[in-house]
Amino acid sequence: MVNLSKTVKNVVEEGGDTLNPASVSNVVVDENSAGQRVDNFLTRLLRGVPKSHIYRIVRSGEVRVNSKRVEASHKLAMDDQVRIPPVRTAVKPAAQTAGPASARLEHTILFEDEALLVINKPAGLAVHGGSGISRGVIEQFRLERPQAKFLELVHRLDRETSGILLLAKKRAALVALHEAIRNNQTDKRYLILVHGVWPDQKKRVTMPLQKYVLPSGERRVSVQPDGQHSETVFHLRQQFAEFSLLEAQLVTGRTHQLRVQLAHLGFPIAGDDKYGDFAVNKQMQQRGLKRMFLHSADTSLKHPITGEKLRLAAPLPPELDQFLQKLKAGKA
């Protein structure tokens, strides 16, 4: 077998952000990969290789960092030497393709510079592949930009949620943004339509949330005494006969936080197929609302590199705006 010694930078420039999966490779970790988990590092370099196989070669010890076995969660350091064994993949390396994939997501970009990429994510598009989804936002952007040296999700949005999604183009930006989120130094606002008459102009909600998995493998969240602390400030924006338009200001960012909190309070999000009122959702479909009314509309933060204040805004998608106008006109 051929033994290749390359830096991640060289792998990116020569192979379109992928390695030759048929040979043993020794890769030197650069500044853009320092601090990254081993499993995420391998997923980026071995595009097309199933994650289950990546975890298997890590567990078996075939992947070595500085000649030592490591776990998938091990974080890499600058100049670490990573041994990657031969693997099989049905996907051709990017270097063998005709060029970048068609730009399906370029029209969604709200802001971009050398460190940050911000999009208005459409509803129905997952942020990453998995669980039967072959390609999400991050995989699509990596296909569209095969020469990108670094591109990672900063946070997640549910598949049926639309709106502002942050991606980092530098590891330093990713680390800084994660720290800002942990320290509650970002201001994220969502627009939500709930079923019911919301009683307060402003309400702070705290609940302990616990994740669990259904027999089907689907992730769910419920309110449990020993769950993780979750906190949201809700503001009433407009009242309708049967519905309330709310603005939610996130204090914490737990999985399904807004959906579970509101359902638990008796104000399910219109169109929510996991925690909502299914009878109401069916009526809403007949009245023109065919998706969940949950949209990440506004995010304020400091730029992760320059420190400049940024305010990012994503307008309501046409389908949500049109339904809202119908409610205002009493036609929905």
Side-chain angles (χ1 to χ4, degrees):
M1 291 187 180
V2 180
N3 191 327
L4 302 176
S5 181
K6 297 184 177 183
T7 65
V8 176
K9 180 176 184 291
N10 288 333
V11 170
V12 171
E13 291 177 346
E14 297 172 16
D17 206 18
T18 58
L19 285 173
N20 178 0
S23 62
V24 172
S25 298
N26 289 287
V27 180
V28 181
V29 175
D30 63 14
E31 61 181 354
N32 277 329
S33 298
Q36 194 170 31
R37 286 170 50 121
V38 167
D39 52 355
N40 294 332
F41 177 82
L42 294 173
T43 298
R44 179 160 67 98
L45 294 185
L46 298 173
R47 185 180 298 155
V49 177
K51 285 189 175 181
S52 59
H53 186 71
I54 288 175
Y55 285 116
R56 187 188 69 75
I57 61 175
V58 173
R59 286 196 303 269
S60 68
E62 295 174 77
V63 173
R64 299 280 176 131
V65 178
N66 301 327
S67 302
K68 297 178 181 179
R69 297 175 67 129
V70 293
E71 296 184 353
S73 60
H74 176 83
K75 291 189 176 181
L76 297 167
M78 184 77 171
D79 295 329
D80 275 352
Q81 302 272 342
V82 183
R83 178 196 183 275
I84 304 174
V87 292
R88 292 182 179 180
T89 173
V91 178
K92 291 182 179 180
Q96 298 179 17
T97 65
S102 58
R104 292 176 50 200
L105 295 177
E106 287 294 319
H107 71 283
T108 69
I109 295 174
L110 298 171
F111 173 88
E112 183 174 12
D113 64 8
E114 72 283 353
L116 192 59
L117 175 62
V118 184
I119 71 167
N120 185 2
K121 185 187 84 67
L125 180 63
V127 296
H128 59 80
S131 300
I133 301 168
S134 61
R135 189 185 305 169
V137 169
I138 189 65
E139 290 87 3
Q140 180 62 32
F141 265 117
R142 286 171 179 165
L143 284 174
E144 292 182 15
R145 301 176 177 203
Q147 300 307 317
K149 297 178 182 179
F150 185 87
L151 195 59
E152 295 288 346
L153 291 166
V154 174
H155 62 103
R156 300 182 181 186
L157 288 180
D158 292 343
R159 185 177 182 180
E160 295 307 320
T161 302
S162 56
I164 295 171
L165 180 68
L166 307 179
L167 296 88
K169 296 170 65 177
K170 290 185 176 181
R171 174 149 295 279
L174 181 67
V175 172
L177 287 167
H178 280 171
E179 183 177 2
I181 291 170
R182 281 195 304 270
N183 295 331
N184 199 25
Q185 295 172 338
T186 62
D187 187 352
K188 298 174 68 176
R189 309 282 179 120
Y190 289 73
L191 286 177
I192 311 168
L193 189 72
V194 299
H195 184 239
V197 179
W198 188 262
D200 306 294
Q201 284 297 319
K202 180 179 179 181
K203 183 179 180 66
R204 183 177 294 269
V205 173
T206 60
M207 288 181 190
L209 302 183
Q210 183 69 52
K211 296 180 187 178
Y212 65 98
V213 181
L214 295 175
S216 63
E218 186 179 359
R219 291 187 309 161
R220 289 293 178 92
V221 177
S222 63
V223 178
Q224 298 292 339
D226 58 346
Q228 289 184 305
H229 171 77
S230 71
E231 186 171 351
T232 310
V233 180
F234 292 100
H235 304 265
L236 178 63
R237 289 292 172 246
Q238 192 158 1
Q239 190 71 70
F240 303 99
E242 303 173 59
F243 298 93
S244 303
L245 181 66
L246 305 179
E247 180 184 272
Q249 180 183 5
L250 288 183
V251 179
T252 60
R254 307 300 181 196
T255 301
H256 297 172
Q257 175 172 314
L258 299 174
R259 301 166 71 175
V260 176
Q261 286 182 338
L262 289 165
H264 189 76
L265 291 172
F267 294 89
I269 298 176
D272 187 344
D273 62 357
K274 292 186 188 295
Y275 306 99
D277 185 313
F278 303 119
V280 171
N281 288 347
K282 189 173 182 180
Q283 293 176 8
M284 289 302 93
Q285 289 180 357
Q286 296 170 351
R287 293 159 69 176
L289 183 65
K290 302 185 183 299
R291 55 156 288 195
M292 180 169 62
F293 202 120
L294 178 58
H295 178 71
S296 178
D298 196 290
T299 296
S300 297
L301 72 162
K302 287 185 178 180
H303 190 281
I305 304 298
T306 68
E308 175 189 1
K309 290 184 179 179
L310 293 178
R311 181 172 180 183
L312 307 162
L316 271 179
E319 68 274 13
L320 296 188
D321 185 57
Q322 290 167 11
F323 186 77
L324 203 56
Q325 297 308 318
K326 286 182 181 180
L327 282 181
K328 292 177 180 179
K331 296 180 180 179

